[in-house]
């Protein structure tokens, strides 16, 4: 698959996002990353590289779990001590889907069309790194909500001025999610087939 086609492959995602709305006077080349210490997982060691090279799926899962725990501990520590990060990225949202070209997210904030946003989030792909990306709002609509519920909005954005390394990182996440979704579908089909035939799965 070409990079251009991969760029638009979109998968469902379940990640927390914090974001801010940029003013017209802000320097588009200056990132908020310079204003706080981003969280990342521990550096990949020689042992980590060896595990990936050998391709042992079970060892890779164990390794990913350990690095995930490492990342989450760092995240919890920073959350307890957070201050200026919350000031920089004051709004929170839930990612709905993602591609290397843009994403859709859900938030309580009403964001105008064509606004420039800056996001802070991480993807569960080794090594875990926070991403700071900018995007232009190209879709904004209020979701249908139950009576007396606080309104939520679905916001679509197109990423701007992405580095090649950032796109590649998202490509890796998209491939991983595609495999997870396909595996879940196969398991669901196998379970349905077993129920129809009256046989139990092992």
């Amino acid at each position: 698959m070409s990079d251009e086609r991969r760029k638009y492959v979109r998968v469902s995602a379940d990640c927390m996002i914090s974001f801010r709305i940029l003013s017209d006077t802000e320097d588009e080349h200056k990132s908020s990353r310079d204003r706080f210490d981003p969280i990342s997982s521990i550096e990949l060691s020689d042992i980590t590289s060896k595990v990936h090279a050998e391709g042992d799926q079970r060892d890779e899962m164990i390794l990913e779990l350990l690095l995930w725990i490492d990342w989450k501990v760092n995240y919890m520590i920073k959350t307890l001590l957070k201050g200026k990060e919350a000031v920089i990225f004051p709004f929170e949202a839930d990612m709905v889907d993602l591609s290397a070209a843009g994403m859709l997210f859900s938030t309580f904030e009403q964001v105008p069309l064509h606004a420039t946003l800056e996001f802070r989030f991480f993807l569960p792909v080794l090594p875990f790194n926070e991403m700071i990306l900018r995007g232009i709002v190209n879709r904004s609509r209020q979701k249908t909500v139950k009576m007396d519920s606080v309104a939520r909005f679905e916001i679509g954005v197109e990423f701007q001025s992405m580095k090649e390394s950032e796109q590649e990182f998202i490509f890796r996440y998209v491939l991983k999610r595609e495999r997870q979704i396909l595996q879940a579908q196969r398991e669901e089909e196998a379970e349905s087939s077993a129920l129809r035939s009256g046989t139990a799965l092992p």
Side-chain angles (χ1 to χ4, degrees), residues 5-187:
R5 286 185 62 193
R6 288 169 62 197
K7 184 177 180 180
Y8 296 102
V9 174
R10 187 175 293 269
V11 294
S12 61
D14 184 18
C15 301
M16 292 296 297
I17 303 169
S18 56
F19 71 95
R20 69 190 186 104
I21 303 173
L22 275 64
S23 68
D24 295 335
T25 59
E26 288 194 64
D27 184 354
E28 64 178 19
H29 301 294
K30 186 174 182 181
S31 170
S32 295
R33 187 180 292 277
D34 301 328
R35 297 163 64 187
F36 67 94
D37 297 322
I39 306 171
S40 63
S41 63
I42 57 177
E43 292 297 325
L44 293 181
S45 64
D46 291 339
I47 296 176
T48 305
S49 301
K50 183 178 179 182
V51 167
H52 285 296
E54 292 178 352
D56 188 313
Q57 188 174 10
R58 183 173 176 275
D59 287 348
E60 283 194 17
M61 290 175 63
I62 294 172
L63 175 64
E64 183 170 336
L65 176 61
L66 291 174
L67 289 178
W68 175 263
I69 292 171
D70 169 73
W71 195 97
K72 291 296 284 184
V73 169
N74 287 337
Y75 182 84
M76 286 188 289
I77 291 172
K78 286 202 61 137
T79 299
L80 291 172
L81 301 176
K82 71 178 180 180
K84 61 180 181 180
E85 289 94 335
V87 174
I88 297 171
F89 296 98
F91 307 121
E92 294 187 345
D94 298 310
M95 189 182 296
V96 177
D97 60 38
L98 176 71
S99 75
M103 70 175 168
L104 182 70
F105 64 93
S106 174
T107 180
F108 292 114
E109 290 298 317
Q110 185 170 9
V111 184
L113 279 172
H114 312 304
T116 301
L117 308 182
E118 187 171 56
F119 304 93
R120 178 190 185 201
F121 62 93
F122 78 94
L123 297 175
V125 180
L126 295 178
F128 302 118
N129 290 312
E130 285 187 330
M131 303 192 74
I132 308 295
L133 298 178
R134 289 186 180 182
I136 304 294
V137 176
N138 57 14
R139 170 184 170 188
S140 179
R141 70 179 182 92
Q142 184 174 337
K143 294 179 64 176
T144 303
V145 294
K146 296 178 181 178
M147 190 174 295
D148 299 327
S149 295
V150 179
R152 290 187 71 95
F153 299 88
E154 278 195 347
I155 312 295
V157 296
E158 180 181 349
F159 294 137
Q160 301 291 309
S161 305
M162 289 182 69
K163 298 176 182 176
E164 187 175 339
S165 59
E166 293 170 335
Q167 279 198 338
E168 187 59 37
F169 201 75
I170 294 179
F171 287 155
R172 289 169 55 196
Y173 174 76
V174 168
L175 289 174
K176 179 180 178 179
R177 283 291 296 145
E178 284 183 317
R179 288 195 297 268
Q180 289 174 340
I181 293 169
L182 182 59
Q183 179 64 27
Q185 290 174 344
R186 287 173 177 168
E187 291 175 357

